[in-house]
Amino acid sequence: MLALFRVEAALNYTIAYRISKSVPYFQWQKGYSCASNKMVGGNNNTRPKWRGVSVQACSAEVTDVDVNVEVKSQVQVHDGSLAESSSSKMASSTDKHSISLEVGSSLFRFIKGKWGSTQAKIEEETGARLIFPPSRNDESLIIEGTSDSVARASERIKLLINEVVKSPALDYSHFVSLPLSLHPQFIDKLIGFQNSILGINDANSSEVLGGSSNNDGTNEDATKIPLISYPPKSTSTSTSKPRTSTLYELGIDKSIFIKPQTFHLTVLMLKLWNKERVNAAAKIFKGIEADVMDALDGRPVFIKLKGLECMKGSFAKARVLYAPVEVVGGEDRLLGACKIITDAFIKGGLVLEKDAKNTLKLHATVMNVRQRKRKKDDTRKFDWFDARGIMEQYGSEEWGEYVLPELHLSQRFVYDESGYYHCCASFPLPKNTQAD
């Protein structure tokens, strides 16, 4: 009787994903092998039993930004002879494999699709099984199946991620910012600006930052305050009777105002959809401090904010209202520093191709319709607001002169105790009490 042997082999190796400017997302290339185990032929009359095998991925030196994907390959066969010819055989395409992809929790919803439709389609067409982690803190996706089915599913997911990342469906997650909310006097001006428009008395100024009776930052009487008369003053005649509009009709509510604690200038927008990319961005950020300081000549940068302007469109149907930025003494030093920042992230493969071509326009946004929070019973489809009345009152507003104190790598939609965006990395800029 042939003795029954069970051979369990675990192949541990790492696949390195290289992110470059040409393919800045998931260009998957097989990397370094840490182990190579020999496989032996099988006894078809004996059913193999599977159990998990603990593995550790090896370290491999790679260039640019690398996302390492740990691949676990399990092979189990039976043979009584253990012949030399059999021991040299590699695992066949029918062996069971599982790989772990560091995808990022923000992308899971796209891989699943509506009601799991995309996941079901990938599994049906590739024959692999996709296993999502139970915790939102886990960013790994497990793919199980034969080597062929796992490879097909991996390729499908790669193409899907490339498509999603390039589209507006995946929002920017991080940005390089110059905080302005560190100046208390500036915050006071912004609070006064919002109070005036929303019709909130100074005594109740905290309502701008907190709740209100209408849940939109206004009180019942505030919605009746006329911000503009129709027809406009420049076209009114003695026979026409101006009418007033409520904030509701003008498309104005608390949610479209930028929170004073988050006020900032944006240098660069980033899509960092997993921990690997966030860590890579933080490393790049910390590595440019000396170059940025050199570009600024070790001297502080002062800016002036005056008036309001509309980002695209017209004041009658505005989407973004911002305060223009004037750099005291010229903008060459600041723009030079910003270019160093942008070039470093482009070189690291963390900037989308279309964003790498953008020309930087420093501005301080005060109102943005993208932030609008709609009520369930609100049937309006406002993607604009009427800013003409605001311009009449604040079109030439002197917001003040301020020094740029710090540079941050900020995370959107997450806030620190100060109320400002969560800081992933930062360093101070030159400071002085007086402008040059």
Side-chain angles (χ1 to χ4, degrees):
M1 178 183 294
L2 293 176
L4 178 62
F5 294 85
R6 185 176 69 177
V7 180
E8 295 180 349
L11 301 182
N12 308 334
Y13 54 96
T14 299
I15 293 180
Y17 292 95
R18 176 185 174 92
I19 304 177
S20 64
K21 287 190 290 184
S22 56
V23 184
Y25 313 113
F26 280 82
Q27 180 177 340
W28 297 355
Q29 298 176 345
K30 189 170 181 179
Y32 298 82
S33 175
C34 294
S36 178
N37 293 350
K38 296 181 179 180
M39 305 298 140
V40 293
N43 185 340
N44 295 331
N45 296 326
T46 305
R47 182 178 180 181
K49 297 181 180 179
W50 297 95
R51 66 183 176 85
V53 179
S54 175
V55 300
Q56 291 181 346
C58 69
S59 61
E61 183 178 353
V62 289
T63 58
D64 295 334
V65 180
D66 299 287
V67 180
N68 291 330
V69 179
E70 181 182 333
V71 179
K72 302 176 183 179
S73 179
Q74 293 179 328
V75 181
Q76 182 174 9
V77 293
H78 297 262
D79 197 352
S81 62
L82 291 179
E84 179 66 24
S85 59
S86 297
S87 63
S88 63
K89 295 180 181 179
M90 295 302 293
S92 69
S93 60
T94 59
D95 295 326
K96 183 178 179 180
H97 293 262
S98 67
I99 66 173
S100 176
L101 304 183
E102 190 80 7
V103 174
S105 57
S106 61
L107 293 175
F108 285 159
R109 62 188 177 98
F110 300 103
I111 299 174
K112 291 179 180 179
K114 189 175 183 179
W115 307 111
S117 58
T118 303
Q119 176 185 354
K121 185 176 181 181
I122 293 175
E123 292 179 334
E124 180 181 359
E125 295 179 355
T126 65
R129 181 188 176 199
L130 307 185
I131 304 175
F132 292 88
S135 172
R136 295 187 63 181
N137 295 327
D138 191 344
E139 299 188 333
S140 299
L141 169 68
I142 306 298
I143 305 179
E144 287 186 350
T146 65
S147 60
D148 289 342
S149 65
V150 168
R152 288 194 297 269
S154 299
E155 182 65 21
R156 287 287 299 274
I157 292 173
K158 176 193 70 173
L159 295 175
L160 176 62
I161 290 175
N162 283 337
E163 181 180 349
V164 168
V165 168
K166 294 177 182 179
S167 74
L170 181 67
D171 209 344
Y172 292 94
S173 60
H174 295 72
F175 63 105
V176 179
S177 70
L178 293 162
L180 295 177
S181 57
L182 300 179
H183 299 286
Q185 65 272 32
F186 189 35
I187 290 183
D188 291 341
K189 280 183 172 290
L190 290 174
I191 292 176
F193 167 72
Q194 295 182 10
N195 288 350
S196 174
I197 296 173
L198 296 174
I200 298 176
N201 296 329
D202 291 340
N204 299 321
S205 61
S206 61
E207 294 185 18
V208 172
L209 305 178
S212 61
S213 59
N214 283 349
N215 297 322
D216 60 358
T218 62
N219 52 44
E220 184 177 356
D221 293 333
T223 58
K224 301 176 182 178
I225 294 178
L227 293 185
I228 190 169
S229 298
Y230 294 92
K233 295 179 180 178
S234 58
T235 59
S236 60
T237 62
S238 57
T239 58
S240 61
K241 183 179 180 180
R243 71 175 183 85
T244 59
S245 297
T246 64
L247 296 180
Y248 179 90
E249 293 174 325
L250 297 173
I252 297 174
D253 61 64
K254 171 191 171 183
S255 66
I256 68 175
F257 287 88
I258 301 299
K259 294 180 181 178
Q261 303 99 318
T262 66
F263 214 69
H264 65 277
L265 304 181
T266 299
V267 177
L268 179 66
M269 299 297 295
L270 299 167
K271 291 187 179 183
L272 309 177
W273 56 84
N274 59 31
K275 293 178 182 177
E276 293 286 346
R277 291 178 70 86
V278 174
N279 293 338
K283 184 177 180 179
I284 292 172
F285 185 90
K286 294 175 182 177
I288 61 176
E289 180 175 358
D291 292 336
V292 169
M293 298 298 279
D294 288 343
L296 297 177
D297 294 331
R299 295 182 288 123
V301 177
F302 289 85
I303 62 167
K304 285 183 179 180
L305 300 174
K306 180 180 178 179
L308 291 173
E309 292 185 10
C310 181
M311 184 78 71
K312 299 180 180 180
S314 64
F315 290 115
K317 290 189 175 182
R319 296 184 178 181
V320 177
L321 205 62
Y322 68 92
V325 175
E326 176 188 347
V327 181
V328 179
E331 60 183 10
D332 291 346
R333 286 188 303 128
L334 180 57
L335 291 183
C338 291
K339 186 177 188 306
I340 289 174
I341 296 167
T342 302
D343 289 348
F345 280 94
I346 291 175
K347 184 178 179 180
L350 297 179
V351 180
L352 299 182
E353 184 178 356
K354 67 180 184 66
D355 293 333
K357 299 177 181 179
N358 289 342
T359 301
L360 177 63
K361 181 179 181 180
L362 291 172
H363 62 280
T365 302
V366 296
M367 299 175 71
N368 191 337
V369 293
R370 287 196 62 188
Q371 297 192 161
R372 189 187 303 280
K373 295 180 180 179
R374 302 183 186 277
K375 296 181 180 179
K376 293 182 179 179
D377 58 349
D378 191 350
T379 59
R380 298 176 302 167
K381 294 183 178 180
F382 267 128
D383 60 350
W384 54 266
F385 63 97
D386 192 329
R388 288 176 290 180
I390 298 175
M391 288 303 300
E392 287 184 7
Q393 186 174 356
Y394 290 96
S396 301
E397 179 73 11
E398 294 277 358
W399 301 100
E401 181 177 319
Y402 307 96
V403 66
L404 298 179
E406 298 175 354
L407 186 70
H408 284 209
L409 174 60
S410 304
Q411 181 179 359
R412 300 182 70 201
F413 316 118
V414 181
Y415 306 92
D416 290 334
E417 292 183 1
S418 64
Y420 193 69
Y421 297 99
H422 173 64
C423 180
C424 301
S426 68
F427 58 80
L429 299 179
K431 297 179 182 179
N432 201 342
T433 55
Q434 294 181 349
D436 295 338

